[in-house]
Amino acid sequence: MLELGADPASRSLVLPRTGRSETASFGYTITSTEPIDLRFIVCDGSQILQTVRFQGKPGGAFESFIETDISSLEETPRSFDFSLLVNDSLGGKASITSISEDDVRIDIFEGSDVDALRKEASDILRSVASKPTMAFDEALKELADVGSRTLAALRRWVKNWPATFDRVQLMTKVNALFPFEFLYDGPLPLRPDAPTCPQSATCLAAPRGTACCSLRASQEVFCPLGFLGLNVIVERHAWDVDQVHPLWLRRSEEFTKRKKLIGLKEIVFAASDRADLFNDDKDVLPEHKLARIADLTKEFGARALTWADWREAILRTVKPPSMAVLVPHVDGKKLYIGQSDAVFLSGLEMGKVSVAIVVGCNTADGEIAALSLPNFVMVEGNVRVVIAALTEVLGRHSNTAAKILGTKVREASQAANSTTVGELVTALRRDFLARGIVMGLVLIAVGDADVVLGGK
């Protein structure tokens, strides 16, 4: 039981496979007429299973509601090193609840360094992804600087922040942006104009968890490997308090019993002509050539030029598509493909595809939850996984990202061994940076808690 300004109260609870558990009881003394706002969190070690809010004023009605329910059914749970619940519901103030193996605490960071840096990171991410004139190395350094300062501020505020971690659970509302992947750990170079480490491409191509060389510690070069999103598996869980039965609250399945997305082949593809409105970057190596729409059609098949074409393809019964790759231009509540064919968000059809890759203008970030494309796509259709961008992205990045993502997801679905989407996206971020594409740092995946790609 958590209350802002009070020490957490803990009780042990055994959850049987069937039947009811024992009752966990908490004593609470009402000493004033101030509103009461309690959060009850059910944890398995450092993993959050469920959160419930209890709110009201003495003498009046009290309300109790479940915020999240992601109870794990795994026989051998893959433990989290750390869990964070980021919220803004404490009187409209931003808060962060942190859970480690032996400590739980809640901290308000509205007006703090963390809050200001979170906004700065968001602004820089948008700038980096939408400014083709910004040099790749310079973009990474700016992100690393704000990521380093944000991590330092979090360590000051969140006293139980671990020294290292491999797997993190991050919980937010569906429209909340908390750029955990862009936190930067380790020393930055002493000079802003220091070169990027010449070994970085080799290190990025190495398996996740491979030890970094000593050059970062020398502070003479910039090392991209400091970004946590390149080294840590972030499993995102989001909730929408306005949904009666949110799809986000689907229970996680035991890993061996999760739905396997196998042999994804048939792909529906559409893109806005605007995605090709960029000049070739003369500094890009031939093997890292930026993709054009024509390159995507060679990979995925002819693109839908109008929304009528898209609906016909997405709803077909002969060889129904299993994946959708969409590179739209987003303007307000309208999505544009082809020359300039528009559809309202409410008119977007996804049929029965299992995986949707939606990379365009801020496709994973909305002012309100209903405008977040992943939220809309998953609630309205049968899509199990959505991979989208957190920021506005130009075609020079969107085409290349969509091509790589679609190809890699399809390959993973046809592989003999299973992999989670979170593991795949982390590996792809490393691949993007090795190719000189900063786009990888603004990609997130949602909805992968109950599926795996590939496997026998």
Side-chain angles (χ1 to χ4, degrees):
M1 181 177 73
L2 286 176
E3 183 179 33
L4 186 64
D7 293 331
S10 300
R11 300 288 185 273
S12 297
L13 185 67
V14 176
L15 297 177
R17 283 277 169 181
T18 59
R20 297 185 176 187
S21 68
E22 298 177 354
T23 301
S25 300
F26 295 86
Y28 185 83
T29 303
I30 299 175
T31 59
S32 70
T33 58
E34 293 296 316
I36 294 171
D37 187 354
L38 303 176
R39 176 179 283 135
F40 294 90
I41 300 180
V42 181
C43 301
D44 181 6
S46 57
Q47 179 182 9
I48 299 174
L49 303 181
Q50 187 178 81
T51 69
V52 179
R53 295 295 288 276
F54 183 77
Q55 298 172 315
K57 289 191 73 172
F62 283 82
E63 180 183 16
S64 178
F65 55 92
I66 293 176
E67 282 188 325
T68 57
D69 181 3
I70 49 173
S71 302
S72 173
L73 300 181
E74 299 177 10
E75 291 181 2
T76 307
R78 296 168 302 141
S79 63
F80 290 96
D81 301 297
F82 200 53
S83 289
L84 295 173
L85 188 151
V86 182
N87 208 346
D88 61 357
S89 60
L90 289 173
K93 296 180 179 180
S95 68
I96 186 166
T97 302
S98 54
I99 298 174
S100 60
E101 282 291 341
D102 56 359
D103 192 17
V104 179
R105 63 178 64 241
I106 183 170
D107 297 280
I108 289 286
F109 58 81
E110 181 185 81
S112 71
D113 292 347
V114 175
D115 192 32
L117 289 166
R118 179 175 65 158
K119 295 173 183 175
E120 183 179 341
S122 178
D123 291 341
I124 291 178
L125 286 168
R126 286 184 171 86
S127 176
V128 164
S130 61
K131 280 187 178 179
T133 56
M134 181 177 287
F136 175 69
D137 287 0
E138 189 63 29
L140 287 188
K141 290 176 189 176
E142 286 201 15
L143 281 176
D145 175 60
V146 69
S148 177
R149 287 183 285 130
T150 304
L151 179 58
L154 280 167
R155 283 173 169 158
R156 288 194 298 269
W157 276 81
V158 183
K159 304 305 181 186
N160 57 331
W161 194 273
T164 60
F165 32 52
D166 180 71
R167 187 165 176 258
V168 172
Q169 181 186 40
L170 178 60
M171 305 177 69
T172 65
K173 288 185 178 179
V174 295
N175 62 325
L177 171 62
F178 189 79
F180 186 93
E181 289 87 347
F182 319 110
L183 300 178
Y184 187 91
D185 193 13
L188 285 166
L190 296 175
R191 296 183 297 105
D193 60 348
T196 297
C197 177
Q199 301 297 322
S200 61
T202 301
C203 292
L204 286 165
R208 185 180 69 89
T210 302
C212 189
C213 68
S214 60
L215 290 178
R216 190 198 310 179
S218 72
Q219 294 185 276
E220 295 179 357
V221 297
F222 169 68
C223 175
L225 270 295
F227 289 110
L228 295 190
L230 303 178
N231 305 293
V232 179
I233 299 298
V234 181
E235 187 167 316
R236 288 175 175 267
H237 299 277
W239 76 92
D240 185 350
V241 295
D242 296 326
Q243 292 288 337
V244 178
H245 299 292
L247 192 64
W248 309 97
L249 307 192
R250 182 187 292 144
R251 289 174 177 266
S252 297
E253 292 287 349
E254 177 189 336
F255 188 80
T256 57
K257 295 180 180 179
R258 291 185 181 189
K259 178 178 175 60
K260 291 184 178 181
L261 303 182
I262 300 176
L264 302 177
K265 295 180 180 178
E266 298 298 326
I267 296 176
V268 172
F269 164 60
S272 167
D273 286 357
R274 296 192 182 199
D276 262 359
L277 297 181
F278 64 91
N279 296 320
D280 279 322
D281 192 334
K282 299 298 188 294
D283 297 329
V284 175
L285 297 174
E287 62 268 28
H288 295 162
K289 186 177 183 295
L290 300 174
R292 296 282 181 172
I293 291 175
D295 299 313
L296 275 72
T297 59
K298 290 179 184 178
E299 193 70 43
F300 306 136
R303 67 166 169 149
L305 295 174
T306 67
W307 287 110
D309 294 340
W310 174 272
R311 283 190 290 271
E312 181 180 351
I314 207 82
L315 299 174
R316 67 180 181 237
T317 56
V318 178
K319 285 190 174 182
S322 51
M323 286 180 60
V325 177
L326 181 59
V327 186
H329 169 65
V330 183
D331 185 3
K333 302 178 181 65
K334 296 177 184 178
L335 307 177
Y336 292 84
I337 60 172
Q339 187 172 1
S340 190
D341 195 49
V343 68
F344 281 112
L345 182 60
S346 60
L348 178 62
E349 293 271 6
M350 280 294 180
K352 295 184 178 180
V353 301
S354 298
V355 178
I357 296 169
V358 189
V359 184
C361 301
N362 56 299
T363 49
D365 184 27
E367 290 297 322
I368 58 176
L371 298 184
S372 170
L373 267 175
N375 180 50
F376 177 82
V377 167
M378 295 188 73
V379 170
E380 296 296 324
N382 297 283
V383 179
R384 308 299 292 265
V385 177
V386 182
I387 302 175
L390 279 169
T391 71
E392 181 177 341
V393 181
L394 294 186
R396 66 191 301 107
H397 299 308
S398 296
N399 289 338
T400 304
K403 182 175 180 290
I404 295 173
L405 286 167
T407 302
K408 294 297 185 181
V409 169
R410 184 171 59 188
E411 290 175 355
S413 75
Q414 298 170 1
N417 297 322
S418 297
T419 185
T420 66
V421 178
E423 291 167 339
L424 178 66
V425 171
T426 301
L428 285 178
R429 287 195 190 101
R430 299 172 71 97
D431 183 49
F432 276 120
L433 286 195
R435 294 167 182 257
I437 305 170
V438 74
M439 169 72 193
L441 288 174
V442 299
L443 291 176
I444 64 167
V446 292
D448 67 326
D450 59 344
V451 302
V452 292
L453 293 168
K456 296 179 181 179

